Structures are given as C-alpha cells and as structure tokens.
Amino acid sequence: IKRKGDKESFRIFKNLGMEVVELEDMEQADKAIKELVAEKYRTIIVTNEIAGCSEDIIKKYTKSNEVDIIIAPSKKERY
C-alpha cells in the first residue's frame, strides 16, 4: 500500500504482477488494510508514510497470525 502519486515506491512489485494499492486519502489506510486482510492476503507491505497513518491497525495485526505486515521505506526516504 502506498500513497497515490508516489511513482517510485513498489515499482518492482508492480512490474512483477503483484497488486499495489494506491491511496489518494491517507486516512483510508486502515480501511485498505482491513479489506486486504478480509480478502485473505497473507503479506501486506506498506510504506513508512502509510504506516504512520495506521499505527493502531498495524499494531493489532503485528500480533496476529493471519497476516504479516511489512513496513518499507518509500523510494524518496531511501536517498
């Protein structure tokens, strides 16, 4: 999950055919995570930017066996 307009982050995943969810409204991050969990996704990768908006939900699923949430720096944060 990344912010819409972030053209660089997760580009490799998209090129490999994986689904990349882009959010226009960062406040929708919790909803997007819940939907992916409900759709039985086992691994969800979010940018730091998204994780900052979803701290409570990420903490909830960090202790869960149903999904792994990985927090990755966005491309612009790496440089």
Side-chain angles (χ1 to χ4, degrees), residues 1-2 5 7 10-11 13 16-20 28 31 34 50 52-53 57 59 67 71 77-78:
I1 303 174
K2 68 176 190 162
K7 304 274 188 225
F10 302 162
R11 193 167 59 187
F13 298 118
L16 290 172
M18 296 179 189
E19 182 176 358
V20 176
Q28 294 298 312
K31 180 181 175 195
K34 287 178 184 177
I50 297 293
C53 295
I57 195 87
K59 285 179 187 174
V67 68
I71 301 170
E77 292 170 341
R78 291 185 206 150

Side-chain angles (χ1 to χ4, degrees), residues 13-64:
F13 298 118
K14 200 169 202 173
N15 289 342
L16 290 172
M18 296 179 189
E19 182 176 358
V20 176
V21 176
E22 298 182 4
L23 300 178
E24 285 188 36
D25 181 4
M26 303 290 277
E27 299 298 319
Q28 294 298 312
D30 287 349
K31 180 181 175 195
I33 291 170
K34 287 178 184 177
E35 287 173 358
L36 292 172
V37 170
E39 292 174 22
K40 303 295 185 204
Y41 281 80
R42 293 285 303 142
T43 303
I44 300 171
I45 305 171
V46 299
T47 60
N48 277 338
E49 188 175 26
I50 297 293
C53 295
S54 300
E55 291 180 37
D56 292 337
I57 195 87
I58 288 174
K59 285 179 187 174
K60 172 185 173 183
Y61 287 113
T62 299
K63 298 174 183 169
S64 168

